């Protein structure tokens, strides 16, 4: 059943009741003010939550030219983890399964074959037990583990998902770190952002972080991963496809000297306005923005110490994880690149241990710009890792059926599950 034209027009007419506030020209002008006056450094109650690693600048590079330049790193490895998503069963179990895989260019078939699989299990039944020892399968190429999550009814699905995903990813990365000779690209942020966000969400989750060793163990894996790559002088970066940080926008909202409400939902919207190039041209309905799509635009690298990046900053506690290097070495640094061809913004993160060196910083910048230009989106090595780690919808359904048989129960389905099962997509 589709909308009749009269219904479509009725819904569209509602837009006339909305005044979007500041017009687009003023928003672009305000973005320029933020760039010029507030980011070098960005202060929050006297704390430097954001500051440039080097000179603050916006740059551009021709898409075709950067795609054809010599590669800064001869080989690349990618890492990703996929899950079946949290599944609740009628016997009270909440389960998620994650598998991590590493890709390589040039291809390494034995490496591509290897998997790390983690199943996380939550139950309010305290008599439920889990054998948490690591096991192997596929002739020793792969490892697996089941992990029991303590009772957290309100957050069961989120916790089982995050711990399965991050434990599989970090363990696989550490197990195969020696295979990386030039550059590792993580599909996602440098540190487990979802886990680090728990401390701000609810006291129960904050207590879980303090009392249970599992989240700390996962974060420790990432800290040790950074240390291992620093020791070997092999860079690693995180490629964030959908950056949604709000450090800048939240900090600006709290500044009394800014008498205009911050118009962006997150930092990505601000950076998009700052990096999008074009001009206003005449159109039949007045003026419209004509975007220039010939060049990738990008910022300098920034040091980030706010929001979920604070625990790994020099002044953060890293959830109690011991850090063997000087604390600034672990700090999150990032730059953002805007691809006008698809109107998309990406964030590339790396430890300050690597980006403090101007030559390494420039090599990483040009390598990731080239990757985006060639792939017309996220780097091919990341997409390759995603394909290896992804669990298809058909495979998810089969795994759930297997779990139903194993536990002599059925999935706790809702009407929405039934409804969307009937959809063709």
């Amino acid at each position: 059943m589709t909308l009749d034209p009269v219904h479509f027009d009725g819904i569209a007419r509602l837009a006339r009741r909305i005044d979007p506030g500041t017009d687009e020209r003023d928003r672009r002008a305000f973005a320029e003010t933020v760039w010029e006056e507030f980011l070098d450094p960005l202060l929050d109650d006297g704390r430097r939550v954001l500051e440039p690693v080097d000179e603050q600048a916006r740059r551009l590079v021709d898409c075709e030219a950067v795609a054809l330049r010599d590669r800064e790193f001869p080989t690349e490895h990618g890492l990703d983890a996929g899950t079946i998503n949290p599944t609740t069963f009628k016997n009270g179990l909440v389960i998620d399964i994650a598998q991590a895989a590493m890709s390589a260019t040039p291809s390494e078939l034995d490496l591509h074959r290897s998997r790390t699989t983690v199943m996380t299990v939550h139950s309010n039944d305290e008599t439920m037990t889990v054998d948490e020892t690591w096991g192997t399968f596929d002739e020793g190429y792969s490892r697996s583990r089941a992990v029991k999550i303590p009772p957290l009814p309100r957050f069961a699905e989120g916790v089982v998902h995050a711990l399965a995903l991050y434990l599989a990813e970090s363990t696989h990365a550490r197990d195969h770190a020696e295979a990386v000779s030039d550059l590792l690209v993580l599909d996602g942020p440098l540190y487990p952002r979802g886990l680090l966000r728990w401390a701000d969400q609810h006291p129960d989750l904050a207590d879980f972080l303090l009392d249970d060793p599992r989240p700390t163990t996962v974060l420790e894996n990432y800290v040790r991963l950074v240390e291992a790559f620093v020791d070997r002088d092999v860079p690693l970066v995180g490629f964030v496809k959908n950056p949604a940080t709000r450090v800048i926008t939240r900090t600006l909202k709290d500044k009394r000297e800014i008498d205009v409400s911050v118009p962006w939902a997150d930092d990505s919207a601000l950076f998009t306005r700052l990096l999008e190039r074009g001009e206003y041209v005449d159109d039949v309905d007045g003026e419209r923005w004509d975007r220039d799509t010939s060049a990738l635009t990008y910022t300098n690298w920034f040091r980030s110490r706010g929001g979920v990046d604070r625990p790994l900053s020099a002044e953060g506690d890293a959830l109690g994880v011991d850090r063997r290097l000087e604390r600034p070495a672990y700090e999150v640094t990032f730059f953002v690149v805007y691809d006008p061809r698809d109107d998309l913004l990406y964030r590339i993160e790396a430890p300050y241990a690597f980006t403090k060196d101007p030559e390494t910083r420039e090599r990483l910048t040009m390598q990731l710009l080239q990757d985006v230009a060639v792939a017309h989106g996220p780097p091919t090595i990341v997409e390759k890792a995603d394909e290896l780690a992804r669990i298809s919808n058909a495979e998810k359904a089969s795994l759930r059926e297997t779990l139903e048989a194993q536990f002599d129960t059925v999935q706790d389905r809702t009407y929405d599950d039934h409804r969307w099962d009937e959809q063709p997509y």
Side-chain angles (χ1 to χ4, degrees):
M1 191 70 178
T2 58
L3 289 173
D4 289 334
V6 64
H7 300 145
F8 184 92
D9 291 341
I11 295 171
R13 197 174 295 124
L14 290 173
R16 301 174 188 171
R17 304 184 185 183
I18 300 173
D19 181 353
T22 309
D23 67 27
E24 192 59 29
R25 287 180 182 271
D26 289 339
R27 291 173 188 263
R28 293 183 186 277
F30 185 42
E32 294 294 331
T33 299
V34 170
W35 177 263
E36 296 293 338
E37 300 181 12
F38 293 101
L39 301 186
D40 187 15
L42 179 66
L43 299 176
D44 184 10
D45 291 331
R47 290 183 58 250
R48 292 181 172 229
V49 295
L50 192 84
E51 65 177 328
V53 173
D54 54 352
E55 179 185 2
Q56 181 177 324
R58 286 172 288 179
R59 303 179 176 96
L60 62 87
V61 62
D62 181 79
C63 294
E64 183 176 349
V66 74
L68 295 175
R69 64 174 283 137
D70 292 336
R71 296 181 64 80
E72 295 291 340
F73 296 89
T75 66
E76 263 185 307
H77 287 71
L79 184 79
D80 193 19
T83 76
I84 69 168
N85 293 327
T87 304
T88 302
F89 297 90
K90 289 187 176 180
N91 63 358
L93 295 180
V94 182
I95 294 176
D96 201 356
I97 302 171
Q99 74 159 353
M102 183 178 283
S103 59
T105 301
S107 293
E108 301 175 26
L109 297 183
D110 284 350
L111 180 67
H112 291 177
R113 178 177 176 178
S114 177
R115 300 286 190 277
T116 298
T117 304
V118 174
M119 176 185 292
T120 46
V121 187
H122 174 278
S123 175
N124 290 324
D125 184 351
E126 296 184 1
T127 65
M128 186 268 290
T129 61
V130 173
D131 178 0
E132 298 197 14
T133 57
W134 283 100
T136 62
F137 63 100
D138 188 19
E139 300 179 359
Y141 278 92
S142 302
R143 294 211 296 159
S144 62
R145 183 186 179 189
V147 177
K148 179 182 178 180
I149 306 301
L152 284 167
R154 291 183 56 189
F155 307 100
E157 292 190 354
V159 171
V160 298
H161 175 73
L163 286 185
L165 179 71
Y166 293 128
L167 182 57
E169 179 182 80
S170 61
T171 301
H172 200 75
R174 292 189 66 189
D175 286 347
H176 297 284
E178 292 291 332
V180 182
S181 55
D182 293 307
L183 175 66
L184 174 64
V185 184
L186 303 176
D187 188 353
L190 180 64
Y191 297 113
R193 185 174 295 274
L195 185 153
L196 293 170
R197 193 178 292 117
W198 290 353
D200 298 326
Q201 287 188 344
H202 195 278
D204 287 350
L205 285 176
D207 292 342
F208 176 49
L209 287 174
L210 294 174
D211 299 337
D212 195 282
R214 293 170 183 83
T216 304
T217 299
V218 171
L219 181 59
E220 184 177 6
N221 276 346
Y222 287 91
V223 170
R224 299 291 170 255
L225 183 68
V226 169
E227 291 169 349
F229 275 75
V230 172
D231 289 344
R232 297 173 56 226
D233 195 27
V234 176
L236 78 161
V237 301
F239 189 93
V240 186
K241 300 173 184 174
N242 299 295
T245 55
R246 294 181 174 85
V247 172
I248 299 175
T249 50
R250 285 179 177 173
T251 303
L252 291 176
K253 285 180 183 293
D254 294 335
K255 289 187 175 293
R256 295 181 179 179
E257 63 267 32
I258 301 178
D259 58 1
V260 180
S261 61
V262 178
W264 307 288
D266 55 29
D267 297 350
S268 293
L270 167 62
F271 280 120
T272 297
R273 286 291 168 267
L274 288 168
L275 292 175
E276 186 182 31
R277 299 167 59 245
E279 61 181 350
Y280 286 98
V281 298
D282 293 332
D283 199 3
V284 291
D285 295 323
E287 287 186 331
R288 64 174 176 83
W289 177 256
D290 184 31
R291 185 168 63 245
D292 185 339
T293 60
S294 63
L296 298 178
T297 51
Y298 60 103
T299 66
N300 57 282
W301 288 81
F302 289 93
R303 298 174 72 169
S304 179
R305 307 186 187 97
V308 294
D309 293 334
R310 182 171 184 173
L312 274 301
S313 67
E315 62 188 29
D317 63 359
L319 303 186
V321 174
D322 177 53
R323 284 170 282 184
R324 300 169 184 169
L325 306 174
E326 293 183 357
R327 289 194 169 189
Y330 302 89
E331 287 190 336
V332 174
T333 64
F334 74 91
F335 81 98
V336 293
V337 54
Y338 174 70
D339 189 342
R341 297 170 296 182
D342 298 310
D343 191 23
L344 292 175
L345 188 94
Y346 306 110
R347 169 172 160 138
I348 293 88
E349 300 182 352
Y352 182 64
F354 293 112
T355 57
K356 66 181 180 182
D357 176 62
E359 182 180 351
T360 302
R361 192 168 61 237
E362 180 65 14
R363 291 181 67 208
L364 288 173
T365 301
M366 299 314 298
Q367 177 73 38
L368 272 299
L369 288 171
Q370 183 180 51
D371 286 345
V372 170
V374 170
H376 212 300
T380 303
I381 197 68
V382 167
E383 296 300 288
K384 195 172 182 179
D386 178 78
E387 291 175 5
L388 292 171
R390 184 184 302 130
I391 304 174
S392 70
N393 288 337
E395 291 165 339
K396 291 176 184 178
S398 295
L399 284 170
R400 290 181 179 125
E401 290 174 1
T402 299
L403 294 175
E404 288 176 338
Q406 175 67 33
F407 299 123
D408 192 23
T409 186
V410 294
Q411 183 179 345
D412 190 9
R413 291 163 55 85
T414 66
Y415 175 75
D416 281 346
D417 294 322
H418 168 73
R419 176 189 179 191
W420 294 113
D421 278 350
E422 303 299 321
Q423 301 301 310
Y425 301 106

